[in-house]
Amino acid sequence: MTQKLTYLLALLSAFIMWLAWPPIPFTAPLLLVGLVPLFIALQAISKDGRPKTSKRIFRTAGLTFLVWNTASIYWVYNAIVAYNDPFTAFLVSLIPFGLGALLMTTAFWLYFRLTQVSSSKIAYLGLICFYIGMEYLHQSWDLAFPWMTLGNGFAGMHQIVQWYSYTGVYGGSLWILLSNIMAFEAYKAYKTYKGYPGFRPAIFWLVLVLVPTAISLKQYFGYTERSMPMNVVTVQPNIDPYKKLGDIPVAEQMRILTHLSDSIAQPNTEYFLWPETAVPQYSEEETIRESREYAIMQAFISKYKNGNLVTGIETLNKYNDQRTPSAKLIPGRGVYIDNFNAAILVENSSNVQFYHKSKLVPGVEQMPFPTALAFLAPIFSELGGSVGGYGWQEEPGVFYSQNGVGMDPVICYESIWGDWVRRSVKNGAQFIGVITNDAWWGNTSGKDQHLLYAKLRAIENRRWVVRSANTGISAFIDQRGDIKQQSKWWVATALKQDINLNSEITFYTKNGDIIAVLASFIGLVMVFIIPVQDYRRKKRLKNGRI
């Protein structure tokens, strides 16, 4: 097979994976075979006897994953170019486009290395563990951006992955990898054998696809929510994010929010959700009750006896010392300030609850590895910044209403962290509230993907998801992952819904990402097996020559 043909096969895999990815509807099952052309190309390279096999394997796999990632999250560029020239924005965009692709490529390269020193079955096990391990790494480290985790790909067809309530999205990643491996084995058998032996792997592949699908559909159609209704209003003010900090008066923005809320609310509405940074004014947390914005929120919520308002807001805390890696020294005042992208709950009392966004955008909201880079603090201080960026909290939070109803406050792209959300639910949240501002990405597939991913959080925890997005898409999602209501893009509106609260804990909520943790451990062991077995193989060859 020529190099050109191997590259074409790599591009074919990239195209199939992109075609299968949200928000393109009804194509998700293509994920179960999308990597087969890449497997064919890598097998051809490994057997052609030409030099630099390892490098060609890496380049070919890298082509697939770089093209697929870039095509699926191209919208990242939109957010960056808003404050940079196009060339700079392009260079910065290569980081999210390329980093995830690099981890995926490394998993396939390690798989190739393992095929050289072990059986094909061991190598396949290694591939699954390497790949899921890399996904888990990309969820866990300071450069985290788990947008392209394979299991997320079923967000557009959530009916066939209802068992995420047991496995989380890594169950989907496992299913996709196993299916592609089995489909590749079916292809090889068809090319090699005649009769039943040539079709047997295809039968196994069909079973692997149909059984989980059937189990999921049974769960989907058999699931019934327990009736425990509560009325919720979600608001979409549609305020241009590039004008809200200065061009539009704060009082006018607050008027829009309260007017939209009042226009649809009921006397028994218990929760109102306003989007991320809806209150466009920094407030000190200790003195927030003295602020004009707090007075407006209190006046609004006082009209609803059991009402609770959850809104995005930027807050700050002051310290006498550098209590956190993100705290910044104010020159000449001897005071440190911590800034937060926060959520606040305001009720019909003086009680106020805060949550600080903790899954921060690397390089935008947080400097990666702030503790390790703490030695750079004096330099950043001179430049008016900090090593840490926004502050954060170590554990997820739960907001409790006056009636004791628990809500999981999720800010922006925290909603793609299944483990972070489920920990809040495990701690008492009875529904999930996502507040976000997706306007930075423009009218692209980014906003649609973000909405669809929220369906997976609903399934994993069997909780309603209420979504308040500044310019869209706001929505109500039930415990099966069905979108019951959603807004249009770039319109000012409000939605209301009676949602069912749930206090039951799913297997996934209780136990978390067991598949990813186990795969990471096995993958780490197998990484060390490669050089050991390689050394033994070379030693045997050397002894044989002697």
Side-chain angles (χ1 to χ4, degrees):
M1 186 178 292
T2 65
Q3 179 174 298
K4 182 178 180 180
L5 185 53
T6 59
Y7 284 161
L8 287 175
L9 287 170
L11 289 172
L12 177 59
S13 267
F15 173 74
I16 296 172
M17 297 298 283
W18 167 80
L19 187 63
W21 205 253
I24 300 173
F26 311 121
T27 58
L30 289 174
L31 292 169
L32 299 171
V33 295
L35 295 174
V36 172
L38 176 61
F39 274 114
I40 296 171
L42 298 184
Q43 182 191 47
I45 293 171
S46 66
K47 292 185 175 182
D48 65 14
R50 283 182 273 181
K52 299 181 179 180
T53 302
S54 183
K55 290 182 179 179
R56 289 189 292 130
I57 290 284
F58 193 90
R59 285 200 302 266
T60 305
L63 178 62
T64 292
F65 295 117
L66 180 61
V67 172
W68 170 44
N69 275 256
T70 303
S72 298
I73 57 172
Y74 67 92
W75 44 263
V76 171
Y77 171 83
N78 288 39
I80 299 172
V81 78
Y83 292 104
N84 296 275
D85 64 87
F87 181 71
T88 301
F90 171 74
L91 292 179
V92 175
S93 298
L94 290 178
I95 298 174
F97 294 160
L99 187 55
L102 176 62
L103 295 174
M104 298 171 186
T105 302
T106 301
F108 268 75
W109 179 79
L110 288 171
Y111 155 68
F112 161 72
R113 294 285 289 113
L114 196 56
T115 61
Q116 296 178 308
V117 297
S118 68
S119 67
S120 61
K121 292 181 180 179
I122 295 296
Y124 283 145
L125 175 63
L127 172 61
I128 292 169
C129 293
F130 295 147
Y131 197 99
I132 294 178
M134 291 297 179
E135 288 188 331
Y136 192 56
L137 171 64
H138 210 28
Q139 169 187 297
S140 307
W141 64 342
D142 277 19
L143 295 171
F145 189 68
W147 202 275
M148 297 300 293
T149 299
L150 280 174
N152 288 339
F154 290 113
M157 289 187 66
H158 64 282
Q159 296 87 349
I160 64 174
V161 288
Q162 293 291 305
W163 35 263
Y164 276 14
S165 60
Y166 293 91
T167 69
V169 294
Y170 291 108
S173 296
L174 176 61
W175 190 30
I176 290 169
L177 291 167
L178 280 172
S179 175
N180 276 276
I181 289 169
M182 200 67 246
F184 175 55
E185 286 295 312
Y187 165 80
K188 290 197 300 181
Y190 177 76
K191 298 288 286 186
T192 305
Y193 305 108
K194 294 182 179 180
Y196 176 69
F199 290 100
R200 183 171 56 186
I203 296 173
F204 290 151
W205 171 78
L206 199 59
V207 171
L208 180 62
V209 170
L210 293 180
V211 169
T213 301
I215 291 172
S216 179
L217 291 175
K218 182 179 179 181
Q219 287 180 288
Y220 178 78
F221 290 109
Y223 185 82
T224 303
E225 294 185 9
R226 182 181 176 185
S227 180
M228 194 179 292
M230 181 185 71
N231 188 258
V232 180
V233 167
T234 183
V235 177
Q236 181 174 303
N238 200 46
I239 296 171
D240 190 327
Y242 300 108
K243 296 180 179 179
K244 70 178 297 177
L245 300 177
D247 291 359
I248 305 175
V250 174
E252 173 62 15
Q253 296 184 49
M254 299 294 287
R255 187 198 66 79
I256 293 171
L257 289 160
T258 56
H259 171 72
L260 287 170
S261 300
D262 286 331
S263 70
I264 200 171
Q266 302 174 178
N268 68 334
T269 298
E270 289 198 38
Y271 267 94
F272 295 86
L273 265 69
W274 294 356
E276 180 184 16
T277 63
V279 179
Q281 188 80 20
Y282 262 111
S283 300
E284 186 176 351
E285 292 186 2
E286 285 190 5
T287 61
I288 193 168
R289 295 170 185 83
E290 303 169 12
S291 71
R292 182 180 61 176
E293 291 74 33
Y294 178 78
I296 294 172
M297 291 187 283
Q298 268 286 359
F300 160 72
I301 206 66
S302 66
K303 292 177 284 186
Y304 304 93
K305 181 180 179 181
N306 297 318
N308 301 269
L309 170 63
V310 176
T311 180
I313 185 173
E314 291 191 281
T315 65
L316 60 89
N317 281 331
K318 293 180 180 178
Y319 316 124
N320 294 324
D321 51 29
Q322 189 168 13
R323 199 165 300 173
T324 67
S326 55
K328 299 173 283 294
L329 177 64
I330 304 302
R333 296 178 58 184
V335 174
Y336 289 85
I337 289 183
D338 231 352
N339 300 102
F340 301 100
N341 184 349
I344 182 176
L345 185 145
V346 178
E347 60 182 47
N348 281 308
S349 75
S350 61
N351 184 44
V352 177
Q353 300 172 53
F354 291 98
Y355 167 73
H356 303 144
K357 182 181 179 183
S358 301
K359 298 300 179 183
L360 300 168
V361 181
V364 178
E365 295 179 317
Q366 179 188 37
M367 174 69 72
F369 314 108
T371 303
L373 297 177
F375 68 94
L376 294 175
I379 299 174
F380 279 86
S381 178
E382 290 297 323
L383 296 173
S386 75
V387 172
Y390 277 117
W392 64 92
Q393 59 188 63
E394 296 299 331
E395 294 294 327
V398 181
F399 282 163
Y400 286 99
S401 71
Q402 298 174 84
N403 292 336
V405 175
M407 187 200 96
D408 175 15
V410 179
I411 302 177
C412 193
Y413 94 141
E414 285 184 322
S415 63
I416 63 174
W417 269 266
D419 185 70
W420 186 258
V421 173
R422 70 97 193 166
R423 286 161 62 189
S424 180
V425 173
K426 186 178 180 181
N427 289 337
Q430 295 163 284
F431 76 101
I432 300 164
V434 179
I435 59 174
T436 186
N437 184 4
D438 294 346
W440 307 108
W441 309 333
N443 190 14
T444 67
S445 60
K447 71 180 192 310
D448 302 301
Q449 291 170 354
H450 201 194
L451 167 67
L452 294 173
Y453 289 178
K455 294 159 64 175
L456 305 180
R457 306 291 85 79
I459 295 168
E460 288 167 345
N461 302 283
R462 296 304 182 189
R463 295 292 190 273
W464 274 75
V465 175
V466 182
R467 206 167 182 274
S468 173
N470 175 27
T471 58
I473 300 171
S474 301
F476 288 95
I477 303 171
D478 72 10
Q479 296 170 23
R480 295 194 309 179
D482 295 334
I483 298 176
K484 307 304 288 187
Q485 286 192 71
Q486 72 177 72
S487 66
K488 294 182 179 179
W489 170 253
W490 208 267
V491 295
T493 188
L495 306 173
K496 68 178 177 180
Q497 177 82 37
D498 284 337
I499 71 172
N500 283 320
L501 303 176
N502 188 14
S503 297
E504 296 180 359
I505 300 298
T506 67
F507 182 88
Y508 175 75
T509 302
K510 181 179 180 180
N511 298 286
D513 293 320
I514 295 176
I515 291 174
V517 172
L518 183 61
S520 299
F521 175 76
I522 297 173
L524 190 60
V525 171
M526 287 188 161
V527 165
F528 288 102
I529 288 177
I530 293 172
V532 171
Q533 290 295 96
D534 200 31
Y535 170 77
R536 290 178 176 175
R537 180 172 62 90
K538 290 178 180 178
K539 188 175 181 180
R540 285 195 299 268
L541 288 173
K542 182 178 179 181
N543 291 338
R545 288 196 299 269
I546 293 174

